[in-house]
Amino acid sequence: MTTPLNERRIANAIRVLAMDAVQQANSGHPGAPMGMADIADVVWREFLNHNPANPQWANRDRFVLSNGHGSMLQYALLHLTGYDVSIEDIKQFRQLHSKTPGHPELGYAPGIETTTGPLGQGIANAVGFALAEKTLAAQFNKADLTVVDHYTYCFLGDGCLMEGISHEACSFAGTLGLGKLIAYYDDNGISIDGEVEGWFSDDTEQRFKSYGWQVLRVDGHDADAIRQATVEAQAETSKPTVIICKTIIGLGSPNKQGKEDSHGAPLGADEIKLTREVLGWEEEAFVIPADIYEHWDAKAKGQQAESAWDKVFATYQEKYPTEASELLRRISGDLPADFAAQADAFIAQTNAKAETIATRKASQNTLQAFGPLLPELLGGSADLAGSNLTIWKGCVGVQDNPAGNYVHYGVREFGMTAIANGVALHGGFIPYVATFLMFMEYARNAVRMSALMKQRVIHVYTHDSIGLGEDGPTHQPVEQIASLRSTPNLNTWRPADTVETAIAWKSSLERKDGPSALILSRQNLAFQTRTDEQIQNAAKGGYVLAQEKGELKAIIIATGSEVELAMNAYAQLEGVRVVSMPCAEEFMKQDVAYREAVLPAQIRARVAVEAAHIDYWWKFVGLDGKVIGMTTYGESAPAKDLFKFFGITTEAVVEAVQSLTS
């Protein structure tokens, strides 16, 4: 050990705040903050480039606490370095409406870059931050002026490395050579169940070397060693670095350090008293001496760093005004001023073409039109670009050119989605990622995090039903659309043709407060004729596609490929209205008057048809209505045979309507 006593005392401020806050809340994880305090001391006081007075400074370093259960570590750091996180906020740890919830939550406290908690997703987000930094730098930096230049620092633990997503994300980071990603692995050997050697015996060093990372080992309580390793990590620009830090969980607690007892429960009043004695900390709970605050305060240093960058950017604006304006626009998240008008013009052209094609192809056509307008698009697919049709003519792979706009993620659905969340969080890009709808299941938790964090990520899912045919039930989605629709703050679009597909893309791109999922077909879908008013109403998520002939007696609600079935049934019936509902979430956001105009409450004869699980649609048809769809898994056969076998046909729709109106 070479850490001087005064430096250890500075780090001890984290330890006492963590154990005091967890004790007061009677809930939490004191062990990780106490064990990683020395690492955090070095990284945050000496290396992290940030400004507590402006947490959104564009060129700040990003910090991710992937082992988010140790959240008091980050809250202590934010408080000590001068962010707007008061000692009262620390005292309110894990309480309702506090800035300091149980896990770091985006939007609650300044300085929190991402919501972590589901283990492994934090490191994947960090890979997304590093990818965004590298790509944005390649797109905007000049030989004489560098305006995008920052690191991503990530703390992670055993649990993160046990989760499979860490393999997906870290393998990918090594392949891309994300040299400005530096991870600190809290190698304390303890998880909730005890010593991890009984269930986690990986050779982490060799694992990361095989990924193409630089691997360094240090004593996680030796400040000099941590410092030197960080310098080495910064010097390696062609590889990400993981610093394996051997630590003692709960360091300072005489009876619980190094044990699972300190992992996920308060230390207890008696143990805290003993810990204070061991640490030589005489102050009462939640009291930090003034001289300790002085050592931690990062406001002046942060302001100087931002001011220095401002001067560089001012010169950049003078020499490269177009690029500077574009960079500021992209960082703000605003679309080009003329995007809406150009998108609407494309939608009108699409309507005039009246093409009968698969909606996955319609999606690619839309990307071809919108892509040149939106340099912030950063697309990708999980090894299915040729099937998802996510590549348009202007795509350049970042693997070939760091300034590119397309990412080949490989077969990494979960990692891809969490990385895309990091890209969106970084700013400067709108990421879209794609796979088959069935394999959304691999990515499910990261999709949830997109919605929870309100990030503009566009999830493209093709091969949307039994209509994909011969690949069989393992590939045919049934319950997935309902799962997506049940996710709060996620807009799920299932367009019926080319026009609705273009509208879905436009809506998803314009939405700044959350993600969208585009559910697209493999097979061709019939074009539906619309008026200008219907096109406008389609953007509202649900609209009358076919007006009833005569008195309204029944309503057919359909999405995607089943809109064609509904329209075929409509041709055989009287007094029936067809409602296309490409996005139920958008429809439910409309005012009551509009919803009533589309689905009049007094019309109780309603039939919903969709080649997906039927349960979702009862909310729209009511107990008096009928739903035609799936209640089992699919089968392997041509699509036309499957739709007939499962009773998702025009005849079934006609029969259902007649049974309700006879």
Side-chain angles (χ1 to χ4, degrees):
M1 293 281 187
T2 60
T3 306
L5 180 61
N6 63 337
E7 189 160 22
R8 176 57 56 77
R9 179 166 170 77
I10 293 169
N12 284 344
I14 297 172
R15 294 185 169 97
V16 295
L17 285 175
M19 67 183 186
D20 288 344
V22 171
Q23 184 66 30
Q24 177 146 310
N26 196 31
S27 175
H29 300 258
M34 296 174 74
M36 296 194 77
D38 298 307
I39 307 167
D41 167 43
V42 173
V43 174
W44 274 66
R45 288 202 305 118
E46 300 182 37
F47 291 94
L48 192 70
N49 207 21
H50 64 125
N51 183 6
N54 182 14
Q56 296 303 310
W57 170 36
N59 201 46
R60 68 193 181 279
D61 289 335
R62 270 53 168 189
F63 174 79
V64 177
L65 184 70
S66 188
N67 45 344
H69 55 273
S71 58
M72 263 311 305
L73 172 64
Q74 191 162 8
Y75 299 144
L77 289 165
L78 294 172
H79 169 70
L80 292 167
T81 55
Y83 286 81
D84 184 19
V85 178
S86 69
I87 201 67
E88 291 303 315
D89 294 322
I90 298 294
K91 291 179 179 179
Q92 290 298 306
F93 178 56
R94 289 189 165 226
Q95 305 308 302
L96 185 63
H97 302 314
S98 74
K99 290 182 180 179
T100 52
H103 291 82
E105 300 282 352
L106 183 71
Y108 284 68
I112 301 295
E113 300 283 2
T114 180
T115 298
T116 56
L119 292 174
Q121 288 201 59
I123 181 61
N125 293 164
V127 172
F129 281 122
L131 170 62
E133 189 276 340
K134 182 177 181 178
T135 307
L136 201 66
Q139 291 178 356
F140 283 96
N141 288 347
K142 304 296 183 179
D144 58 335
L145 285 170
T146 299
V147 291
V148 180
D149 180 19
H150 51 266
Y151 289 93
T152 299
Y153 298 96
C154 180
F155 287 5
L156 68 159
D158 291 309
C160 297
L161 294 185
M162 282 187 262
E163 290 287 358
I165 188 175
S166 68
H167 164 70
E168 296 183 33
C170 294
S171 166
F172 180 78
T175 299
L176 262 62
L178 300 179
K180 300 182 86 169
L181 171 61
I182 303 174
Y184 298 79
Y185 165 37
D186 180 27
D187 182 16
N188 61 46
I190 297 293
S191 65
I192 290 176
D193 282 354
E195 296 181 7
V196 301
E197 60 185 13
W199 48 87
F200 183 52
S201 58
D202 299 17
D203 187 331
T204 299
E205 179 175 353
Q206 292 303 316
R207 171 184 169 184
F208 274 81
K209 283 183 177 179
S210 76
Y211 293 153
W213 287 52
Q214 174 179 228
V215 182
L216 305 173
R217 282 186 176 273
V218 299
D219 177 347
H221 303 299
D222 185 332
D224 287 341
I226 298 163
R227 186 177 296 114
Q228 180 58 38
T230 304
V231 171
E232 288 184 46
Q234 291 185 337
E236 176 52 79
T237 59
S238 64
K239 299 178 180 179
T241 297
V242 61
I243 303 174
I244 301 175
C245 304
K246 193 62 182 176
T247 62
I248 300 172
I249 192 170
L251 182 69
S253 170
N255 297 306
K256 296 187 178 183
Q257 72 174 25
K259 301 177 181 178
E260 63 269 24
D261 294 358
S262 68
H263 188 291
L267 296 181
D270 292 341
E271 187 68 12
I272 286 177
K273 181 179 178 181
L274 292 173
T275 303
R276 275 185 152 75
E277 293 175 3
V278 170
L279 298 178
W281 194 273
E282 299 177 353
E283 286 74 20
E284 296 178 358
F286 300 106
V287 175
I288 305 296
D291 63 327
I292 299 294
Y293 275 124
E294 289 176 9
H295 281 288
W296 275 106
D297 192 354
K299 292 192 290 293
K301 181 181 177 182
Q303 186 59 56
Q304 290 172 4
E306 183 173 356
S307 295
W309 182 82
D310 286 342
K311 291 178 181 178
V312 173
F313 191 72
T315 303
Y316 185 86
Q317 285 180 303
E318 291 176 7
K319 293 192 69 173
Y320 308 104
T322 301
E323 291 90 335
S325 177
E326 179 69 0
L327 179 58
L328 290 174
R329 178 191 70 78
R330 286 174 56 172
I331 291 172
S332 74
D334 294 330
L335 298 179
D338 62 346
F339 172 74
Q342 295 206 50
D344 287 341
F346 172 74
I347 291 169
Q349 292 168 8
T350 300
N351 190 50
K353 284 184 178 180
E355 293 179 294
T356 290
I357 57 177
T359 49
R360 62 171 173 159
K361 180 59 179 176
S363 172
Q364 185 181 49
N365 292 346
T366 304
L367 280 169
Q368 185 60 54
F370 291 177
L373 309 176
L374 300 172
E376 58 263 51
L377 282 180
L378 187 62
S381 175
D383 200 47
L384 288 168
S387 294
N388 299 147
L389 301 185
T390 45
I391 293 180
W392 52 282
K393 292 178 182 178
C395 282
V396 176
V398 298
Q399 286 88 343
D400 302 317
N401 182 346
N405 60 358
Y406 193 84
V407 185
H408 292 277
Y409 284 100
V411 187
R412 298 182 177 97
E413 295 89 352
F414 193 4
M416 170 185 72
T417 307
I419 289 167
N421 289 344
V423 169
L425 288 159
H426 178 278
F429 295 100
I430 301 174
Y432 66 90
V433 289
T435 186
F436 290 169
L437 177 57
M438 186 66 246
F439 303 131
M440 175 279 297
E441 294 290 355
Y442 286 131
R444 182 73 183 84
N445 201 269
V447 176
R448 182 178 189 269
M449 297 306 292
S450 296
L452 181 62
M453 294 190 287
K454 304 177 181 178
Q455 293 305 295
R456 180 161 51 180
V457 179
I458 301 173
H459 305 279
V460 179
Y461 298 123
T462 68
H463 296 60
D464 67 341
S465 72
I466 58 172
L468 67 88
E470 292 84 348
D471 277 337
T474 60
H475 283 54
Q476 293 168 8
V478 172
E479 71 275 26
Q480 284 65 39
I481 301 177
S483 176
L484 290 167
R485 287 180 179 139
S486 69
T487 303
N489 198 43
L490 175 67
N491 276 5
T492 300
W493 290 85
R494 187 170 185 246
D497 63 2
T498 56
V499 171
E500 287 189 3
T501 302
I503 290 169
W505 265 108
K506 178 174 183 279
S507 176
S508 301
L509 289 163
E510 290 180 335
R511 186 180 185 218
K512 296 179 71 172
D513 63 350
S516 302
L518 307 186
I519 314 300
L520 307 173
S521 74
R522 176 196 185 192
Q523 73 274 31
N524 290 344
L525 303 188
F527 176 80
Q528 303 298 332
T529 302
R530 296 174 186 80
T531 64
D532 290 343
E533 182 180 4
Q534 286 174 317
I535 290 174
Q536 293 175 359
N537 286 339
K540 297 177 181 179
Y543 65 105
V544 179
L545 177 62
Q547 197 72 40
E548 61 274 10
K549 294 168 281 188
E551 179 187 357
L552 177 60
K553 299 178 181 178
I555 300 172
I556 305 171
I557 307 170
T559 78
S561 50
E562 287 65 66
V563 169
E564 180 179 359
L565 299 183
M567 291 299 291
N568 290 340
Y570 171 82
Q572 302 178 34
L573 297 164
E574 296 290 333
V576 172
R577 167 183 298 185
V578 173
V579 170
S580 177
M581 194 172 291
C583 184
E585 296 81 15
E586 275 298 316
F587 179 72
M588 293 306 296
K589 294 174 187 175
Q590 306 305 312
D591 59 43
V592 173
Y594 178 78
R595 284 183 281 142
E596 173 66 18
V598 174
L599 297 174
Q602 73 271 20
I603 304 302
R604 301 176 67 86
R606 299 183 183 186
V607 175
V609 53
E610 184 177 59
H613 202 287
I614 67 172
D615 278 2
Y616 177 81
W617 288 105
W618 295 111
K619 62 192 277 185
F620 287 103
V621 303
L623 296 178
D624 296 331
K626 291 193 173 183
V627 182
I628 297 170
M630 298 293 294
T631 57
T632 68
Y633 296 114
E635 295 286 348
S636 178
K640 59 181 178 61
D641 295 335
L642 292 173
F643 278 93
K644 182 177 180 180
F645 176 77
F646 287 107
I648 306 173
T649 62
T650 297
E651 293 76 17
V653 176
V654 170
E655 181 181 334
V657 171
Q658 290 174 338
S659 70
L660 294 175
T661 57
S662 59

